[in-house]
Amino acid sequence: MIISKDNKPALLLIDIQKGFEDIQYWGTERNNVDAETNVETLLTLWRAHKLPVFHIKHCSTTQNSPLKKGTPGNDFQDFIIPKDEEPIIEKEVNSAFIGTDLKEQLEHKNINTLVVVGLTTDHCVSTTTRMAGNYGFTTYLVEDAIATFDKIGTNGQQYSAQLIHDTAIASLKDEFATILSTKAVLSNLTSFLSR
């Protein structure tokens, strides 16, 4: 079970920012075009049932990054604009736990179950998920509510966005997180809340 009467899961929305709409900056292609739609579906359910939501924002220190603080790309995408009671965690590195008070906020609210969605699979999503698992949080990663870009390896070979996505998830599976689909999360959560 994802959720119990004593433990409401927090939805971590990682780096769903306008800067990631610039595909050419990050690579040449992106996988999972439905990721944001799935995130919005989950966010709507979380808000409807007043479950905890945390917005993670990457504030890049790289001069020309679309995610640099103070630039339009640093802004959240329009569909997830935080509500007043939803904390915003700003970070400068790949983990939402480093240089922030995310862990302390979760512990203060007695939250020990996390559902992770956002961008990008092999960077901030993966790093945050690994640390969440290492910190002892029960962690769920929603594989169709995350996405990434293609990469060039050290030998110059291009690796597709889907391959990067799939191998990153395979590395997280079972050791750091339980991997679920949006449909599975909705089914599980709706079943509990309807009792």
Coordinates of all heavy atoms in Angstrom, one line a residue, residues 15-31 36 58-69 71-75 77 91-92 94 119-124 147-153 158-161 164:
D15 N 11.4 20.1 -10.2 CA 11.9 20.9 -11.3 C 11.0 20.9 -12.5 O 11.5 20.9 -13.6 CB 13.3 20.3 -11.7 CG 14.3 20.4 -10.6 OD1 14.0 20.9 -9.5 OD2 15.4 19.8 -10.8
I16 N 9.7 21.1 -12.3 CA 8.8 21.2 -13.4 C 8.8 22.7 -13.8 O 7.8 23.4 -13.4 CB 7.4 20.6 -13.0 CG1 7.6 19.2 -12.6 CG2 6.5 20.6 -14.3 CD1 6.4 18.5 -12.1
Q17 N 9.8 23.1 -14.5 CA 10.1 24.5 -14.8 C 10.1 24.8 -16.3 O 10.4 23.9 -17.1 CB 11.4 24.9 -14.1 CG 11.4 24.8 -12.6 CD 12.8 24.8 -12.0 OE1 13.3 23.8 -11.5 NE2 13.4 26.0 -12.0
K18 N 9.9 26.0 -16.6 CA 9.8 26.4 -18.0 C 11.1 26.2 -18.8 O 11.1 26.0 -20.0 CB 9.3 27.9 -18.1 CG 7.8 28.0 -17.6 CD 7.4 29.5 -17.7 CE 5.9 29.6 -17.3 NZ 5.4 31.0 -17.4
G19 N 12.2 26.3 -18.1 CA 13.5 26.1 -18.7 C 13.7 24.8 -19.4 O 14.4 24.6 -20.3
F20 N 12.9 23.7 -18.9 CA 13.0 22.4 -19.5 C 12.2 22.3 -20.8 O 12.3 21.3 -21.5 CB 12.6 21.3 -18.5 CG 13.7 21.0 -17.6 CD1 13.5 21.1 -16.2 CD2 14.9 20.5 -18.0 CE1 14.5 20.8 -15.3 CE2 15.9 20.2 -17.1 CZ 15.7 20.3 -15.8
E21 N 11.5 23.4 -21.2 CA 10.8 23.4 -22.5 C 11.7 23.6 -23.6 O 11.4 23.4 -24.8 CB 9.7 24.4 -22.4 CG 8.6 24.0 -21.4 CD 7.6 25.2 -21.2 OE1 7.9 26.3 -21.6 OE2 6.5 24.9 -20.6
D22 N 13.0 24.1 -23.3 CA 14.0 24.4 -24.3 C 14.8 23.1 -24.6 O 15.9 22.8 -24.1 CB 15.0 25.5 -23.8 CG 16.0 25.8 -24.8 OD1 16.1 25.2 -25.9 OD2 16.9 26.7 -24.4
I23 N 14.2 22.2 -25.4 CA 14.8 20.9 -25.6 C 16.2 21.0 -26.2 O 17.0 20.2 -25.8 CB 13.8 20.0 -26.5 CG1 12.5 19.7 -25.8 CG2 14.5 18.8 -27.0 CD1 11.5 19.0 -26.6
Q24 N 16.4 21.9 -27.1 CA 17.7 22.0 -27.7 C 18.8 22.3 -26.8 O 20.0 22.0 -27.0 CB 17.7 23.0 -28.9 CG 16.7 22.6 -30.0 CD 17.0 21.2 -30.6 OE1 18.2 20.9 -30.9 NE2 16.0 20.4 -30.6
Y25 N 18.5 23.0 -25.7 CA 19.6 23.2 -24.7 C 20.0 22.0 -24.0 O 21.2 21.8 -23.7 CB 19.1 24.2 -23.6 CG 20.1 24.5 -22.6 CD1 21.1 25.5 -22.8 CD2 20.1 23.8 -21.4 CE1 22.0 25.8 -21.8 CE2 21.1 24.1 -20.4 CZ 22.0 25.1 -20.6 OH 23.0 25.3 -19.6
W26 N 19.1 21.1 -23.8 CA 19.3 19.9 -23.0 C 19.7 18.6 -23.8 O 20.3 17.7 -23.3 CB 18.1 19.5 -22.1 CG 17.7 20.7 -21.3 CD1 16.6 21.5 -21.5 CD2 18.3 21.1 -20.1 NE1 16.6 22.5 -20.5 CE2 17.6 22.3 -19.6 CE3 19.4 20.7 -19.3 CZ2 17.9 23.0 -18.5 CZ3 19.8 21.4 -18.2 CH2 19.0 22.5 -17.8
G27 N 19.4 18.7 -25.1 CA 19.7 17.6 -26.0 C 19.1 17.8 -27.3 O 19.0 18.9 -27.8
T28 N 18.7 16.7 -28.0 CA 18.0 16.8 -29.3 C 16.6 16.2 -29.2 O 15.8 16.4 -30.1 CB 18.8 16.1 -30.4 OG1 18.9 14.7 -30.1 CG2 20.2 16.7 -30.5
E29 N 16.3 15.5 -28.1 CA 15.0 14.9 -28.0 C 14.7 14.7 -26.5 O 15.5 14.7 -25.7 CB 15.0 13.5 -28.7 CG 16.0 12.6 -28.2 CD 15.6 11.1 -28.4 OE1 14.5 10.8 -29.0 OE2 16.4 10.2 -28.0
R30 N 13.4 14.6 -26.3 CA 12.9 14.2 -24.9 C 11.9 13.1 -25.0 O 11.2 13.0 -26.0 CB 12.2 15.5 -24.3 CG 12.1 15.4 -22.8 CD 11.0 16.4 -22.3 NE 9.8 15.7 -22.0 CZ 8.8 16.1 -21.3 NH1 8.9 17.3 -20.7 NH2 7.7 15.4 -21.1
N31 N 11.9 12.2 -24.0 CA 11.0 11.1 -24.0 C 9.7 11.5 -23.2 O 9.7 12.6 -22.6 CB 11.6 9.9 -23.4 CG 11.7 9.9 -21.9 OD1 12.1 10.9 -21.3 ND2 11.3 8.8 -21.2
E36 N 4.0 15.6 -18.1 CA 3.3 16.7 -17.4 C 1.8 16.5 -17.3 O 1.2 16.8 -16.2 CB 3.5 18.0 -18.2 CG 5.0 18.6 -18.0 CD 6.0 18.0 -19.0 OE1 5.7 17.0 -19.7 OE2 7.1 18.5 -19.0
H58 N 14.8 24.1 -9.3 CA 16.3 24.1 -9.5 C 16.7 25.6 -9.8 O 16.2 26.1 -10.8 CB 16.7 23.2 -10.6 CG 18.2 23.0 -10.6 ND1 18.8 22.2 -9.7 CD2 19.1 23.5 -11.4 CE1 20.1 22.2 -10.0 NE2 20.3 23.1 -11.0
C59 N 17.6 26.1 -9.1 CA 18.1 27.5 -9.3 C 19.5 27.3 -9.7 O 20.4 27.4 -8.9 CB 17.9 28.3 -8.1 SG 16.2 28.6 -7.6
S60 N 19.7 27.1 -11.0 CA 21.1 26.8 -11.5 C 22.0 28.0 -11.3 O 21.7 29.2 -11.4 CB 21.0 26.5 -13.0 OG 22.3 26.3 -13.6
T61 N 23.3 27.6 -11.0 CA 24.3 28.6 -10.9 C 25.2 28.7 -12.2 O 26.1 29.5 -12.3 CB 25.3 28.3 -9.7 OG1 25.8 27.0 -9.9 CG2 24.5 28.3 -8.4
T62 N 24.8 28.0 -13.2 CA 25.4 28.0 -14.5 C 24.9 29.3 -15.2 O 23.7 29.5 -15.4 CB 25.1 26.8 -15.3 OG1 25.6 25.6 -14.6 CG2 25.8 26.8 -16.7
Q63 N 25.8 30.1 -15.7 CA 25.5 31.4 -16.2 C 24.4 31.4 -17.3 O 23.5 32.2 -17.3 CB 26.8 32.1 -16.8 CG 26.6 33.5 -17.2 CD 26.1 34.4 -16.0 OE1 26.5 34.2 -14.9 NE2 25.3 35.4 -16.3
N64 N 24.6 30.5 -18.3 CA 23.6 30.5 -19.4 C 22.5 29.4 -19.3 O 21.8 29.2 -20.3 CB 24.4 30.2 -20.7 CG 25.0 28.8 -20.8 OD1 25.2 28.2 -19.8 ND2 25.3 28.4 -22.0
S65 N 22.3 28.9 -18.1 CA 21.3 27.9 -18.0 C 19.9 28.5 -18.0 O 19.6 29.5 -17.4 CB 21.4 27.2 -16.6 OG 20.3 26.3 -16.4
P66 N 19.0 27.8 -18.7 CA 17.6 28.3 -18.7 C 16.9 28.2 -17.3 O 15.9 28.8 -17.1 CB 16.9 27.3 -19.7 CG 18.0 26.7 -20.5 CD 19.2 26.7 -19.6
L67 N 17.6 27.5 -16.4 CA 17.0 27.4 -15.0 C 17.6 28.4 -14.0 O 17.4 28.3 -12.8 CB 17.2 26.0 -14.5 CG 16.6 24.8 -15.4 CD1 16.9 23.5 -14.8 CD2 15.1 25.0 -15.5
K68 N 18.5 29.3 -14.5 CA 19.1 30.2 -13.6 C 18.1 31.1 -12.9 O 17.1 31.5 -13.5 CB 20.1 31.1 -14.4 CG 20.9 32.1 -13.6 CD 21.8 32.9 -14.4 CE 22.6 33.9 -13.5 NZ 23.5 34.8 -14.2
K69 N 18.3 31.3 -11.7 CA 17.3 32.1 -10.9 C 17.2 33.5 -11.5 O 18.2 34.1 -11.8 CB 17.8 32.2 -9.4 CG 16.8 32.8 -8.5 CD 17.1 32.5 -7.0 CE 16.0 33.0 -6.1 NZ 16.2 32.6 -4.7
T71 N 15.6 34.2 -14.2 CA 15.2 34.1 -15.6 C 13.9 33.5 -15.8 O 13.4 32.8 -14.9 CB 16.3 33.3 -16.4 OG1 16.2 31.9 -15.9 CG2 17.7 33.8 -16.2
P72 N 13.2 33.7 -16.9 CA 11.9 33.2 -17.1 C 11.8 31.6 -17.0 O 10.8 31.1 -16.6 CB 11.5 33.6 -18.6 CG 12.3 34.9 -18.8 CD 13.6 34.6 -18.0
G73 N 12.9 31.0 -17.4 CA 13.0 29.5 -17.4 C 13.0 29.0 -16.0 O 12.7 27.8 -15.8
N74 N 13.3 29.8 -15.0 CA 13.4 29.3 -13.6 C 11.9 29.2 -13.1 O 11.7 28.5 -12.1 CB 14.2 30.3 -12.8 CG 14.3 29.9 -11.3 OD1 13.6 30.4 -10.4 ND2 15.2 28.9 -11.1
D75 N 11.0 29.8 -13.7 CA 9.6 29.8 -13.2 C 9.0 28.4 -13.4 O 9.4 27.6 -14.3 CB 8.7 30.8 -14.0 CG 9.1 32.2 -13.8 OD1 9.7 32.5 -12.7 OD2 8.7 33.1 -14.6
Q77 N 6.3 25.7 -14.5 CA 5.3 25.6 -15.6 C 3.9 26.0 -15.0 O 3.6 25.8 -13.9 CB 5.3 24.2 -16.2 CG 6.6 23.9 -16.9 CD 6.6 22.6 -17.6 OE1 5.6 22.1 -18.0 NE2 7.8 21.9 -17.7
K91 N 16.8 24.7 -4.7 CA 18.1 24.0 -4.6 C 19.0 24.4 -5.8 O 18.5 25.0 -6.8 CB 17.9 22.5 -4.7 CG 17.3 22.0 -6.1 CD 17.1 20.5 -6.1 CE 16.4 20.0 -7.4 NZ 17.2 20.3 -8.6
E92 N 20.3 24.2 -5.5 CA 21.3 24.5 -6.6 C 22.0 23.3 -7.1 O 22.9 23.4 -7.9 CB 22.3 25.5 -6.0 CG 21.7 26.9 -5.6 CD 22.7 27.9 -5.1 OE1 23.8 27.5 -4.8 OE2 22.3 29.1 -5.0
N94 N 21.8 18.7 -7.7 CA 20.8 17.7 -8.2 C 19.9 17.1 -7.2 O 18.9 16.5 -7.5 CB 21.6 16.5 -8.9 CG 22.3 17.0 -10.2 OD1 21.7 17.9 -10.8 ND2 23.4 16.4 -10.5
L119 N 11.2 16.3 -13.4 CA 12.3 16.3 -14.4 C 13.7 16.5 -13.7 O 13.7 17.2 -12.7 CB 12.1 17.5 -15.3 CG 10.7 17.5 -16.1 CD1 10.5 18.8 -16.8 CD2 10.6 16.4 -17.0
T120 N 14.7 15.9 -14.2 CA 14.8 14.9 -15.3 C 15.1 13.6 -14.6 O 15.7 13.5 -13.6 CB 15.8 15.3 -16.4 OG1 17.1 15.3 -15.8 CG2 15.4 16.6 -17.1
T121 N 14.7 12.5 -15.3 CA 14.8 11.2 -14.7 C 16.2 10.8 -14.2 O 16.3 10.3 -13.1 CB 14.5 10.1 -15.8 OG1 13.2 10.5 -16.4 CG2 14.4 8.7 -15.2
D122 N 17.2 11.1 -15.0 CA 18.6 10.7 -14.6 C 19.4 11.7 -13.8 O 20.5 11.4 -13.4 CB 19.4 10.3 -15.9 CG 19.4 11.4 -16.9 OD1 18.3 12.1 -17.1 OD2 20.4 11.6 -17.6
H123 N 18.8 12.8 -13.6 CA 19.5 13.9 -12.8 C 18.8 14.1 -11.5 O 19.0 13.3 -10.5 CB 19.7 15.2 -13.6 CG 20.7 15.1 -14.7 ND1 22.0 15.3 -14.5 CD2 20.6 14.7 -16.0 CE1 22.7 15.1 -15.6 NE2 21.9 14.7 -16.5
C124 N 18.0 15.1 -11.4 CA 17.5 15.5 -10.1 C 16.5 14.5 -9.6 O 16.4 14.3 -8.3 CB 16.9 16.9 -10.2 SG 18.2 18.2 -10.6
A147 N 10.6 12.4 -17.0 CA 11.1 12.4 -18.4 C 12.5 12.9 -18.4 O 13.0 13.5 -17.4 CB 10.2 13.3 -19.3
T148 N 13.2 12.7 -19.5 CA 14.6 13.2 -19.6 C 14.9 13.4 -21.1 O 14.0 13.3 -22.0 CB 15.6 12.2 -19.0 OG1 16.8 12.9 -18.9 CG2 15.8 10.9 -19.8
F149 N 16.2 13.7 -21.4 CA 16.7 14.0 -22.7 C 17.7 13.1 -23.1 O 18.3 12.3 -22.3 CB 17.2 15.5 -22.7 CG 16.2 16.5 -22.3 CD1 16.1 16.8 -20.9 CD2 15.4 17.1 -23.2 CE1 15.1 17.8 -20.5 CE2 14.4 18.0 -22.8 CZ 14.3 18.4 -21.4
D150 N 18.1 13.0 -24.4 CA 19.1 12.2 -24.9 C 20.5 12.7 -24.4 O 20.6 13.8 -24.0 CB 19.1 12.1 -26.4 CG 19.3 13.5 -27.1 OD1 18.7 14.4 -26.6 OD2 20.0 13.5 -28.1
K151 N 21.5 11.8 -24.4 CA 22.8 12.2 -23.9 C 23.9 11.7 -24.9 O 23.7 10.7 -25.6 CB 23.1 11.5 -22.6 CG 22.1 11.9 -21.4 CD 22.3 13.4 -21.0 CE 21.5 13.8 -19.8 NZ 20.1 13.8 -20.1
I152 N 25.0 12.3 -24.9 CA 26.2 11.9 -25.6 C 27.2 11.3 -24.7 O 27.6 11.9 -23.7 CB 26.8 13.1 -26.4 CG1 25.8 13.8 -27.3 CG2 28.1 12.6 -27.2 CD1 25.3 12.9 -28.4
G153 N 27.6 10.1 -25.0 CA 28.6 9.4 -24.1 C 30.0 9.8 -24.3 O 30.3 10.6 -25.2
Q158 N 25.5 8.7 -29.2 CA 24.3 9.3 -28.7 C 23.4 8.2 -28.1 O 23.1 7.2 -28.8 CB 23.6 10.0 -29.8 CG 22.3 10.7 -29.4 CD 21.6 11.5 -30.4 OE1 22.1 11.5 -31.6 NE2 20.6 12.2 -30.1
Y159 N 22.9 8.5 -26.9 CA 22.0 7.5 -26.3 C 20.6 8.2 -26.2 O 20.5 9.3 -25.7 CB 22.5 7.2 -24.8 CG 23.8 6.5 -24.8 CD1 25.0 7.2 -24.6 CD2 23.9 5.1 -25.0 CE1 26.3 6.6 -24.6 CE2 25.2 4.5 -25.0 CZ 26.3 5.2 -24.9 OH 27.5 4.6 -24.9
S160 N 19.6 7.5 -26.6 CA 18.3 8.1 -26.7 C 17.7 8.5 -25.4 O 18.1 7.9 -24.3 CB 17.3 7.1 -27.4 OG 17.0 6.0 -26.5
A161 N 16.8 9.4 -25.4 CA 16.2 9.8 -24.1 C 15.5 8.6 -23.5 O 15.5 8.5 -22.2 CB 15.2 10.9 -24.4
I164 N 18.1 6.4 -21.7 CA 18.6 7.0 -20.5 C 17.5 6.9 -19.4 O 17.8 6.6 -18.3 CB 18.9 8.5 -20.8 CG1 20.0 8.7 -21.8 CG2 19.2 9.3 -19.5 CD1 21.4 8.2 -21.3

